[in-house]
Amino acid sequence: MRYISTRGTAPVLTFEEAMLTGLARDGGLYVPETIPTLSADQIAAMAGQSYEEVAFTVMRPFIGETFTDGEFRAIIARAYEGFGHEARAPLVQLAPNHFLLELFHGPTLAFKDFAMQLIGQMFQAALGRKGARVTIVGATSGDTGSAAIEAFRGLDNVDVFILYPHGRVSDVQRRQMTTPGESNVHALAMDGDFDDCQARLKDMFNDFEFRDGVKLAGVNSINWGRVLAQVVYYFTAAVSLGAPQRKVSFTVPTGNFGDIFAGYIARQMGLPITELVVATNQNDILDRCLKGQGYHKGGVHASISPSMDIQVSSNFERALFDAFDRDGNAVAQLMDELAGGGFDVSQGAMENLQEIYSSGRASEEETTATIREMRETTGELLCPHSAVGVKVAKEQRDPSVPMITLATAHPAKFPDAVEAATGIRPPLPPRMADLFEREERMTRVENNLDALKSLIKGKIAS
Ligand SMILES: *Cc1c(COP(=O)(O)O)cnc(C)c1O
């Protein structure tokens, strides 16, 4: 299996190289050269299997020679053993033919644990055998950073630096990043918003001297390994509702387009998915784009679903690459235009996108109303991101096709929004109940590339 860049000019890499690299050297994102498919029989055989078994079947064709079957099974087992639910990704029912896929039973209570825990184990195995060391730098609107720190804390072969927008993440998110005491973990509180953090991260990757000097590796959702890990739960959920005989649809609370893109990969692999619905909050660049209004940046407006507060959705580049029939030049040109504010999508590419994705948005009031309504009608407490998904799913769904809405975080991760909507302050699960007693440790840093570079160099040298 070979990996190519969405901008067409970076070296072609193996899975191991693409995973350890993150962003391609031409500024693009790595994607598999071809998407392997599973037959209807192979999908049907997943019925009743454990999450780990399905994970092996789904991901094995993508990893090539990077790990043996035995190694890969052991990696998967270690990745998910710390989850607080034996099904890993259980489904609950909200209404006739509407289901919620709970992706928040991992160690940091958000779906990002599915990918990050796996990546942590894969990095450890790949670097350990080479005796190599890397510097992981990630940008976060909250959940990626806590998941990355949890996955990499204490591992021998990595230093992990996480940039988060100072004052713009929830207390639980911040404490999950600032309380691990391991010396290879560095939480960096940066001035600015999440897009600023993402922009400085890209700058570091595009500074080849720095990148090669500190052996930079990226674990943001641009990393193909993360997208791959997320493909698995589309299969487990669909199969438990009768796939491949029965078609299903998914609604995905979306920010950086990583999670929904994993659903698209599942569909490409042969999983019968009718609709993939992108759900955004008031930061609705994707909803506007998928409705044919072009991809034009606005400002970021802080919302009660902060993990979706972005304007530049980095994985959307992967969707564009396929929509433009894998023309790397065309994608590179669009990304140049984006630097100047935005671009319009040609009619042919727009038709390709609309064949796969539909979309909707939820305002702040609608999100709060949905949290309240779901509590009253089903007893479920939703986090605000999941509520954005449920609101859009209810609007968009065809009642005859099962709709699966992804619940991306545990309500206790966003207690203020949940309490404001329902009067109930959701408690943290017992395994992390002491989070607010642990000591915090972080470094403040300005929104400046040079300041960041010297900070990182200094910390890994010490
Ligand atoms: C990251 C995140 C999202 C958005 O996922 P993308 O893959 O970036 O689209 C939604 N909800 C929560 C809780 C998240 O942490």
Side-chain angles (χ1 to χ4, degrees):
M1 173 65 65
R2 287 153 34 107
Y3 288 82
I4 58 172
S5 164
T6 50
R7 300 196 195 169
T9 59
V12 174
L13 301 182
T14 64
F15 175 78
E16 176 170 343
E17 292 164 336
M19 172 184 79
L20 293 176
T21 296
L23 194 65
R25 292 179 95 89
D26 57 6
L29 278 63
Y30 277 104
V31 289
E33 196 165 42
T34 55
I35 303 294
T37 55
L38 297 174
S39 67
D41 285 347
Q42 282 174 300
I43 297 171
M46 293 173 184
Q49 289 188 349
S50 68
Y51 188 87
E52 285 80 354
E53 282 173 276
V54 176
F56 180 82
T57 307
V58 170
M59 296 190 287
R60 183 70 190 93
F62 290 91
I63 63 164
E65 309 291 300
T66 299
F67 303 110
T68 65
D69 286 2
E71 283 168 341
F72 194 47
R73 283 185 197 283
I75 284 170
I76 293 170
R78 281 196 298 273
Y80 300 116
E81 71 189 3
F83 277 51
H85 197 298
E86 284 203 36
R88 310 312 182 209
L91 264 184
V92 302
Q93 189 159 10
L94 293 178
N97 251 354
H98 190 185
F99 300 83
L100 192 71
L101 181 60
E102 292 186 350
L103 300 176
F104 51 67
H105 296 285
T108 70
L109 308 179
F111 82 91
K112 294 190 171 72
D113 288 322
F114 277 90
M116 213 61 89
Q117 288 291 323
L118 187 82
I119 287 249
Q121 295 302 327
M122 291 198 293
F123 267 64
Q124 172 86 337
L127 294 169
R129 69 184 170 212
K130 290 201 288 202
R133 190 173 181 86
V134 298
T135 303
I136 288 173
V137 184
T140 189
S141 53
D143 294 330
T144 299
S146 46
I149 284 174
E150 192 59 42
F152 289 96
R153 63 192 286 190
L155 295 190
D156 299 330
N157 303 296
V158 290
D159 278 295
V160 53
F161 291 85
I162 298 297
L163 288 176
Y164 68 90
H166 179 66
R168 295 195 186 217
V169 300
S170 81
D171 289 347
V172 175
Q173 288 175 321
R174 190 191 67 250
R175 287 184 159 270
Q176 284 179 335
M177 293 189 276
T178 57
T179 57
E182 287 84 354
S183 60
N184 72 327
V185 167
H186 312 276
L188 307 182
M190 199 182 93
D191 298 330
D193 59 27
F194 172 55
D195 283 338
D196 293 321
C197 293
Q198 265 204 138
R200 294 298 80 71
L201 179 73
K202 282 211 167 190
D203 291 345
M204 285 189 255
F205 273 92
N206 288 325
D207 182 331
F208 293 141
E209 197 187 321
F210 176 73
R211 176 174 176 166
D212 296 337
V214 302
K215 300 214 164 41
L216 210 58
V219 295
N220 267 82
S221 62
I222 51 173
N223 190 305
W224 172 256
R226 284 199 43 201
V227 175
L228 178 59
Q230 293 167 5
V231 178
V232 176
Y233 45 69
Y234 286 88
F235 278 90
T236 59
V239 167
S240 66
L241 293 180
Q245 286 78 19
R246 194 179 181 209
K247 290 188 159 200
V248 300
S249 292
F250 288 91
T251 299
V252 185
T254 296
N256 246 334
F257 213 81
D259 210 5
I260 187 127
F261 191 76
Y264 164 72
I265 297 295
R267 190 174 185 262
Q268 295 286 92
M269 290 179 75
L271 188 66
I273 296 176
T274 304
E275 263 198 295
L276 284 169
V277 184
V278 172
T280 74
N281 65 21
Q282 59 190 354
N283 296 292
D284 59 356
I285 186 170
L286 286 166
D287 181 40
R288 285 184 278 120
C289 180
L290 291 168
K291 295 203 161 102
Q293 298 166 24
Y295 192 82
H296 299 280
K297 290 191 265 190
V300 179
H301 299 287
S303 79
I304 56 171
S305 45
S307 302
M308 292 153 56
D309 285 351
I310 66 173
Q311 283 296 346
V312 180
S313 191
S314 38
N315 273 288
F316 193 52
E317 180 166 342
R318 288 188 163 114
L320 289 169
F321 184 57
D322 279 6
F324 281 86
D325 299 322
R326 304 206 134 198
D327 178 350
N329 276 330
V331 172
Q333 205 175 324
L334 293 180
M335 294 302 137
D336 280 347
E337 285 178 47
L338 180 60
F343 55 80
D344 289 315
V345 181
S346 66
Q347 197 187 337
M350 205 58 233
E351 281 165 13
N352 291 343
L353 287 171
Q354 286 171 338
E355 207 183 291
I356 300 157
Y357 307 102
S358 53
S359 69
R361 83 193 283 278
S363 69
E364 296 290 274
E365 297 72 30
E366 289 164 334
T367 305
T368 299
T370 304
I371 297 174
R372 184 178 311 124
E373 183 200 330
M374 283 296 119
R375 172 67 190 176
E376 282 164 5
T377 59
T378 69
E380 277 288 311
L381 274 183
L382 297 178
C383 92
H385 310 78
S386 310
V388 167
V390 167
K391 185 266 178 185
V392 172
K394 282 171 57 178
E395 248 166 35
Q396 304 267 332
R397 80 192 186 91
D398 167 351
S400 68
V401 180
M403 174 60 84
I404 301 167
T405 299
L406 273 50
T408 51
H410 192 287
K413 214 165 178 181
F414 302 94
D416 296 339
V418 176
E419 187 174 18
T422 63
I424 298 163
R425 194 160 184 91
L428 286 167
R431 63 186 194 279
M432 52 195 75
D434 67 340
L435 187 65
F436 281 82
E437 275 109 66
R438 299 181 204 156
E439 195 185 329
E440 292 195 75
R441 193 169 57 89
M442 70 171 90
T443 307
R444 284 291 304 276
V445 59
E446 52 188 301
N447 178 8
N448 176 291
L449 179 62
D450 289 328
L452 276 165
K453 280 163 51 182
S454 62
L455 181 79
I456 290 172
K457 280 192 201 150
K459 289 210 187 265
I460 58 176
S462 64

